[in-house]
Amino acid sequence: RFDEAMPRTVTAEVQAFLDDLISETLTWLVDLARARGLHSSIVFLANEGYDPARWRAAALLPGVRYLGTTAFWLFYGISRADMDTYLSLWAERMLAAIAGTSAEPLGWVQAFDVPAGREVEIEQAVATLVNAGVTTIAVWSYLACVAMSGLAPDDPEAAWSAVERAYARLAASE
């Protein structure tokens, strides 16, 4: 693309190439799905790679039904005291990206690798995202990853019970 050999380090040109590649691949995938009559969900990591322009461009793609993020507070080492602020920030970023588009916000809640005694945070996370305006909440993963030894919480049953309570509260509030 830049008429030179690929450098061994990430230069401005390499970064531009990577950014273009991500955008072109997302566009291609969403177009392919739309041609088959399907909607797309695009979920970005909640990390230092956050790029508001990329999120907005993704939300504007025709055929994108959901735009979301994986604000997995435990995975990123966020304390319980800072969890609401952290989740609200990522909810704001989602909502800003989808403003004026047909995309809906999708918040993923962490139910994997939950330390014993922190299961109640799953319920808190769901409530925080809903209060921030996120209308679709998903949980990673089914039965709190009980079958995945590397991701299972200390107490998968307690974690999954927290998921069930959170969804029951949502259903009761509708």
Side-chain angles (χ1 to χ4, degrees):
R1 180 176 283 188
F2 297 100
D3 203 28
E4 61 185 60
M6 180 65 85
R8 294 190 182 275
T9 60
V10 177
T11 63
E13 289 83 9
V14 170
Q15 189 60 54
F17 171 74
L18 293 171
D19 290 343
D20 290 348
L21 185 62
I22 290 169
S23 296
E24 291 165 9
T25 301
L26 275 178
T27 300
W28 174 72
L29 290 169
V30 170
D31 286 346
L32 207 59
R34 195 168 51 112
R36 289 174 170 77
L38 303 170
H39 295 280
S40 294
S41 297
I42 298 175
V43 179
F44 289 105
L45 296 174
N47 64 21
E48 69 280 351
Y50 169 68
D51 179 350
R54 178 175 292 140
W55 284 37
R56 180 70 178 166
L60 286 166
L61 292 172
V64 172
R65 168 95 186 261
Y66 297 102
L67 184 104
T69 190
T70 56
F72 297 152
W73 70 100
L74 292 165
F75 179 79
Y76 290 112
I78 306 301
S79 70
R80 183 169 184 190
D82 295 329
M83 187 179 108
D84 287 335
T85 301
Y86 171 79
L87 291 170
S88 295
L89 169 69
W90 288 101
E92 276 179 38
R93 289 174 171 178
M94 265 190 289
L95 294 169
I98 66 167
T101 74
S102 60
E104 300 172 44
L106 168 62
W108 280 91
V109 172
Q110 180 175 350
F112 65 89
D113 203 21
V114 178
R118 293 188 71 180
E119 297 87 1
V120 69
E121 293 175 35
I122 295 168
E123 295 172 77
Q124 183 182 347
V126 170
T128 299
L129 289 172
V130 168
N131 290 337
V134 178
T135 53
T136 302
I137 307 292
V139 174
W140 185 262
S141 169
Y142 180 65
L143 294 179
C145 294
V146 68
M148 300 177 185
S149 60
L151 293 178
D154 290 341
D155 186 345
E157 190 174 306
W160 192 249
S161 291
V163 170
E164 290 175 327
R165 286 190 304 276
Y167 280 138
R169 279 193 192 100
L170 284 179
S173 69
E174 293 180 350

